[in-house]
Amino acid sequence: GEDVEQSLFLSVREGDSSVINCTYTDSSSTYLYWYKQEPGAGLQLLTYIFSNMDMKQDQRLTVLLNKKDKHLSLRIADTQTGDSAIYFCAESMNRDDKIIFGKGTRLHILP
Amino acid sequence: EPEVTQTPSHQVTQMGQEVILRCVPISNHLYFYWYRQILGQKVEFLVSFYNNEISEKSEIFDDQFSVERPDGSNFTLKIRSTKLEDSAMYFCATVGESQDEQFFGPGTRLTVL
């Protein structure tokens, strides 16, 4: 069945780059997402990429997709304390289909 | 910017009671969803709703759950007889015809005692 896997924790020094990795199983996924969740808050869509793309850049965020390996990564350049949150990798087959989420990676920023 | 709203933000109820969680979708959005997130766990899909009927539901969405659009604007999730394990954050999401993004509401935290 559909599954999304990601590591649970990542610690990064302030100013360094953070790279959060994710793998998914459903090769028919068309949309791949990164959501951010701050403590006690809802889900904020950071960015998404179509499965026919291999890279998308949006300011400090870079998403890389390796469709062959079903591997997705999110790179946050110049990590700031405000980036401290849980980052969820997610996928869906179509834009109006259910979204399947990973368990989330908790990003901890070291001073 | 338009947004999805949910009420209440926090609901505390006794086991066995019925609860209704409400969502006001973005105007003109046609696809609606409920997800839940048990504390510390991942976000799980419950149900999708389109054209006034359920289009897909997960195995979590058993007979205790129901959804409806009672007045054409609100989108509700009803849990008939709550259990302790229903305690979670419940998120509503909506999608418009011409958009790629599911817009999520801020969530309702349900606590069952």
Side-chain angles (χ1 to χ4, degrees):
Chain A
E2 309 133 326
D3 199 13
V4 177
E5 296 285 340
Q6 53 185 128
S7 54
L8 296 181
F9 298 100
L10 178 66
S11 289
V12 173
R13 293 211 174 274
E14 190 175 358
D16 287 352
S17 292
S18 306
V19 179
I20 303 172
N21 294 299
C22 165
T23 56
Y24 60 98
T25 57
D26 192 347
S27 57
S28 59
S29 298
T30 306
Y31 289 75
L32 296 145
Y33 309 89
W34 285 103
Y35 282 86
K36 178 182 180 183
Q37 186 180 38
E38 296 184 58
L43 295 163
Q44 176 195 355
L45 178 65
L46 281 180
T47 186
Y48 64 93
I49 189 169
F50 296 112
S51 59
N52 60 357
M53 298 166 65
D54 50 23
M55 187 181 98
K56 183 178 180 182
Q57 186 150 7
D58 183 3
Q59 299 183 330
R60 291 191 299 124
L61 305 178
T62 304
V63 178
L64 295 177
L65 173 62
N66 181 328
K67 196 173 178 184
K68 175 174 160 291
D69 295 338
K70 301 194 196 72
H71 181 268
L72 185 73
S73 68
L74 173 70
R75 179 176 178 269
I76 306 172
D78 187 25
T79 309
Q80 304 297 309
T81 53
D83 296 324
S84 182
I86 299 176
Y87 291 81
F88 290 95
C89 176
E91 55 93 3
S92 67
M93 278 182 51
N94 294 300
R95 64 174 193 85
D96 53 0
D97 259 325
K98 67 186 179 199
I99 295 178
I100 306 297
F101 288 85
K103 290 184 177 177
T105 298
R106 184 179 294 277
L107 178 61
H108 178 61
I109 314 302
L110 301 167
Chain B
E1 188 178 318
E3 57 183 20
V4 178
T5 58
Q6 292 185 239
T7 55
S9 55
H10 190 189
Q11 171 113 32
V12 181
T13 190
Q14 295 288 328
M15 192 169 58
Q17 295 296 303
E18 175 184 284
V19 294
I20 297 176
L21 310 183
R22 291 182 170 80
C23 168
V24 179
I26 294 173
S27 178
N28 298 323
H29 278 199
L30 300 176
Y31 301 87
F32 312 108
Y33 312 81
W34 283 102
Y35 294 82
R36 80 169 185 194
Q37 184 183 30
I38 294 172
L39 185 65
Q41 298 188 26
K42 66 178 175 180
V43 178
E44 300 172 290
F45 168 76
L46 290 178
V47 66
S48 57
F49 190 85
Y50 172 70
N51 204 23
N52 286 319
E53 58 183 35
I54 290 173
S55 44
E56 187 176 358
K57 59 183 181 180
S58 72
E59 56 192 30
I60 302 168
F61 194 88
D62 61 22
D63 292 344
Q64 292 298 313
F65 292 88
S66 62
V67 289
E68 63 174 358
R69 289 196 79 195
D71 55 11
S73 60
N74 290 301
F75 177 51
T76 62
L77 174 70
K78 182 193 290 187
I79 310 174
R80 256 179 281 281
S81 177
T82 50
K83 304 187 283 286
L84 294 177
E85 54 265 37
D86 293 327
S87 293
M89 189 76 123
Y90 288 81
F91 293 104
C92 171
T94 72
V95 174
E97 274 290 0
S98 58
Q99 290 162 311
D100 291 318
E101 178 183 348
Q102 279 190 26
F103 289 85
F104 280 79
T108 292
R109 182 173 298 283
L110 176 65
T111 302
V112 182
L113 302 175

